[in-house]
Amino acid sequence: MKILVINCGSSSLKFQLIDALTEQVEAKGLCERIGIEGSRLVYTPGDGRKQIIETPMPDHKEAVRLVLNALTDKEHGVLNSLADIGASGHRIVHGGEKFSDATLITDEVLEAIRACNDLAPLHNPANLTGIEACRSLMPETPMAAVFDTAFHQTMPEEAYLYGIPYEYYEKYKLRRYGFHGTSHAYVSKRAAAVLNRSYEDLKIITCHLGNGASVAAVKKGVCVDTSMGLTPLEGLIMGTRSGDIDPAVIEFLAQKENKTLEQVLEILNKESGVLGLSGRLSSDFRDLEDGYLEGKKEAVRAVDAFVYRVAKYIGAYAAAMNGVDAICFTAGLGENSAMIRRKVCGYLGYLGVAIREDLNEVRGQEIVISEKGAKPAVLVIPTNEELAIARETFRLVRKQD
Ligand code: AMP
């Protein structure tokens, strides 16, 4: 069965067509600038011959239509007809407390996802456009929703509650939810497989370090804590997001800089993190690492603050789980940056962490980089959220048959 995995942003749509049995990617691509002048589809079939189709895409429905056309195109397509798509799997950022697992999409499920829009006003409405487009263009094809928040729904109350009046949780479900759950679940399961250990026996800390970044504590196969909160702004210092701050900073900045609440939040989301700390040098760690090696103080400041916060969370989660068997690095930075891994691990000698320099330099593969027999094991596990979504979708569709 072929699964079409769709990840919609407000003006973009990423897709992969994955064979559920072989788990091969048969085609993938990206629609950019949807609803904006200059929209284009970048389409790469399995043979790697990339095509760029520049054409107006007024909305996500048109974008999905173009993707389906590309997939069934006589020359460059990989499908004979749309009937070959067995199901579509959709990434949904926020499932609130309602969804602790992926689910097949029905009218009731759609309503429940819409009810979570308040919790993720930038993401959920965009995610829903992909579902609506697929539903109108492939009405008979089953669809699944896979939530970024679902894996974290096992967090205990003491981890997910904020220290604010409880009535706000009761009234608004105002609490910590966490994100990147599909990635944390995939990576922690892979870590157990690589270590040849039972998932249920392990205490694992997963560090998803990309432009957005979060850490999760996974004990006996369930998530017990994670660094993001009600929104993806909490936790680590990220590319452009501040991560944890004293909430009083918001009022202070609003007054001093004469800004509205929205403007301050825009600063915390888009102008902070390593971009802000480096005096706007860059939000991209490749630039920051170059700057670091050249001794630019702005880059040193940003990288050091980023690394310190990651190490602090790992320490906190080792305490929360009363130990740790494996620490995993993933996502753009976690998978590729030997420097960041080395620096984070440099803080963790007290836990027993010892990594091998030669293994830490290896890229793009699942690998244990700690010394043989050292505990905790340290691993690099490339994440694959699309494959995880395809697997979940296949599982749900098969269960229904
Ligand atoms: P992601 O959001 O997972 O795509 O990760 C993006 C981040 O990973 C950016 O900050 C990139 O600079 C960083 N990144 C990607 N490749 C490398 C690399 N080879 N070395 C250092 N950072 C990298």
Side-chain angles (χ1 to χ4, degrees), residues 12 89 208 317 324 326:
S12 69
H208 178 110
Y317 289 166
V324 53

Side-chain angles (χ1 to χ4, degrees), residues 208-212 283-286 289 331-333 336-337 363:
H208 178 110
L209 309 180
N211 195 30
S283 65
D284 192 306
F285 270 87
R286 280 164 288 207
E289 284 191 12
L333 186 56
N336 292 300
S337 174
R363 288 230 176 124

Side-chain angles (χ1 to χ4, degrees), residues 31 34 57 64 80 86 103 119 133 137 139 154 165 172 182 223 229 232 245 259 261 295-296:
C31 299
I34 300 169
M57 291 179 216
V64 171
N80 291 323
T103 180
L119 295 169
L137 295 165
T154 47
Y172 309 119
T182 309
C223 176
I245 55 159
K259 298 214 183 284
L261 199 57
K296 279 192 190 149

Side-chain angles (χ1 to χ4, degrees), residues 9-20:
S10 55
S11 65
S12 69
L13 181 157
K14 283 191 229 157
F15 70 93
Q16 284 194 6
L17 184 75
I18 296 178
D19 185 300

